[in-house]
Amino acid sequence: MTDNASISHAFFALHHGLPRQGPGSDATTRRLLSLAGALPERPRVLDLGCGPGRASLLLAAEAGAEVTAVDLHEPFLDELHASAEARGLTDSITTVKADMAELPYPDGSFDLVWAESSVYGIGFDTALRDWRRLLAPGGALVLTECEWTAAEPSAAARAFWERHYALRTTEANTRAATNAGYSVLGVHPQPESDWDEYYGPLAARADAADPGAPGMAEALAATREEIAMRREHGSEYGYTGYVLRPADSWPTRPETAADVAAVHAVNAAAFETEAEADLVDALRTDPEAWLPELSYVAEAPDGSVAAYALLTRCRVDGAPALALAPVATRPEHQGTGAGSAVVRAVLDAARARGERLVLVLGHPSYYPRFGFRPASGYGIRPGFEVPDEAMMALALDGSGDAGRLPRGTIRYPAAFGV
């Protein structure tokens, strides 16, 4: 029987010199970076489980980042150092041999904590809990996670992953993030080409390897099983990128029956007339529009309702979407972040449900902070005249890909009267 040390050595021999140690691409790194929003001029980035550092190199070169690249396998760090030297980036990248589960850095040390194809080392939930403290105010946590994409994965796929890592769905991971106190800035389903960038070079290396080397037969068998599983069952699982930020300090939650009067009062106080308050009451009576889990409140310190946001079912050319309206904050809490907190919370809840599209008619200087863009850019329009910049849409998966969204005219619930 081959000893574990020989198998481990053979495994790393297969992987040394490969451009990536997991599914990914420069395009995915750039997309995740864009979802993180505005950053300092020279952001401090902690790249955990960096491997040979493809993400570290891009972040240093294109974002001007000061990168601390951490991995337990020193030969990978040596590869990264050599690549950084060749590209003139040694002043921007510091390599550190350390365990991502026992990081020595003080709280608030980084603007971005980054982990592509590596969080499985400690688990998604542990990363959410333990890495949050490392973020500076306004910082973001960027993770990619393997998860189920099929509603009913096959027995073969389940058996394989039960031996390696417990997969969840995007909905479950989004819920885990929000339950851990994060707001979801974006979700990026990684394309099949990201797997090709990883498995293509790895398969070529496996074909060229000497199966007679100590431990190599076992390493090759495991590698080829993994590649075959992807080839035969790749439609059942995939990698997804998450860009997360610690949530606002305002507590948020779905409304309860006890909040109905307070919600009416918040809307009545926030606007010049009671039209918006009456709109909410009317929408509650429409079973095709009302989604109870997407009626959200933000609580003031005394437990009263400080702000409110509602998503109801609308349609775009017959396809389901969500309408964000109204959003209301009591006058005494306006300008405190309560409104932003409740909007982010209800959008996160919609993501967790697997919703794809949210539409809002509102201030073009306010809603882009949540990722909204002019709906016309997606081929979506209202059935009435409004300024183009005021009718906005948000792709909840963060893709920004108009081809993934319905196109056509918005049909609002009858209570809107349009």
Side-chain angles (χ1 to χ4, degrees), residues 51 56 68 86 91 99 105 243 287 310 332 358 371 383 387 390:
S56 291
T68 301
D91 291 340
D99 187 340
Y105 306 107
V243 182
L310 175 65
E332 63 268 31
V358 178

Side-chain angles (χ1 to χ4, degrees), residues 16 38 49 69 87 147 164 182 255 261 277 324 329 332 356:
H16 286 158
R87 302 182 192 198
E147 54 192 27
H164 295 283
Y182 290 89
E255 70 159 41
L324 174 59
T329 304
E332 63 268 31
R356 298 170 58 201

Side-chain angles (χ1 to χ4, degrees), residues 323-376:
L324 174 59
V327 174
T329 304
R330 291 194 69 90
E332 63 268 31
H333 297 301
Q334 290 176 6
T336 65
S340 293
V342 77
V343 170
R344 290 192 179 99
V346 78
L347 293 176
D348 286 346
R351 285 190 185 93
R353 280 172 49 95
E355 299 285 349
R356 298 170 58 201
L357 174 65
V358 178
L359 301 159
V360 67
L361 175 60
H363 295 292
S365 62
Y366 180 73
Y367 287 98
R369 71 184 65 181
F370 307 108
F372 285 92
R373 304 176 186 177
S376 59

Side-chain angles (χ1 to χ4, degrees), residues 283 288-291 294 310-314 321-325 413 416:
L283 287 166
E288 292 186 4
W290 186 257
L291 303 167
L294 298 182
L310 175 65
L311 291 170
T312 50
R313 177 67 69 211
C314 66
L322 296 172
L324 174 59
F416 281 88

Side-chain angles (χ1 to χ4, degrees), residues 136-334:
L141 176 61
V142 180
L143 311 171
T144 67
E145 175 76 335
C146 195
E147 54 192 27
W148 295 120
T149 56
E152 295 293 337
S154 64
R158 285 193 179 278
F160 175 83
W161 282 106
E162 283 171 1
R163 290 188 285 117
H164 295 283
Y165 187 68
L167 301 192
R168 298 189 299 208
T169 62
T170 301
E171 179 179 349
N173 284 326
T174 300
R175 187 176 295 113
T178 55
N179 288 344
Y182 290 89
S183 179
V184 181
L185 302 183
V187 178
H188 174 63
Q190 295 179 228
E192 187 63 28
S193 56
D194 280 14
W195 291 83
D196 296 338
E197 287 210 22
Y198 172 46
Y199 280 149
L202 179 59
R205 178 68 59 80
D207 289 343
D210 176 9
M216 187 58 73
E218 291 84 353
L220 286 172
T223 298
R224 287 172 173 150
E225 180 192 21
E226 180 182 338
I227 294 173
M229 176 58 57
R230 181 66 194 176
R231 183 175 58 250
E232 296 165 13
H233 297 278
S235 63
E236 300 175 46
Y237 61 92
Y239 259 90
T240 299
Y242 292 87
V243 182
L244 312 171
R245 178 169 291 150
D248 302 271
S249 58
W250 288 90
T252 58
R253 57 173 175 79
E255 70 159 41
T256 67
D259 297 316
V260 171
V263 165
H264 186 99
V266 166
N267 282 282
F271 298 98
E272 293 182 359
T273 73
E274 292 200 14
E276 283 77 9
D278 293 341
L279 170 64
V280 175
D281 293 341
L283 287 166
R284 290 184 200 281
T285 68
D286 184 347
E288 292 186 4
W290 186 257
L291 303 167
E293 63 270 38
L294 298 182
S295 178
Y296 256 70
V297 301
E299 288 186 343
D302 64 1
S304 64
V305 175
Y308 178 72
L310 175 65
L311 291 170
T312 50
R313 177 67 69 211
C314 66
R315 302 275 169 179
V316 174
D317 197 28
L322 296 172
L324 174 59
V327 174
T329 304
R330 291 194 69 90
E332 63 268 31
H333 297 301
Q334 290 176 6

Side-chain angles (χ1 to χ4, degrees), residues 95-128:
T95 58
V96 178
K97 182 180 180 182
D99 187 340
M100 66 172 69
E102 298 178 3
L103 296 167
Y105 306 107
D107 294 358
S109 295
F110 300 97
D111 303 299
L112 288 175
V113 174
W114 200 279
E116 286 192 53
S117 303
S118 61
V119 75
Y120 68 87
I122 62 172
F124 192 77
D125 293 342
T126 301
L128 295 176

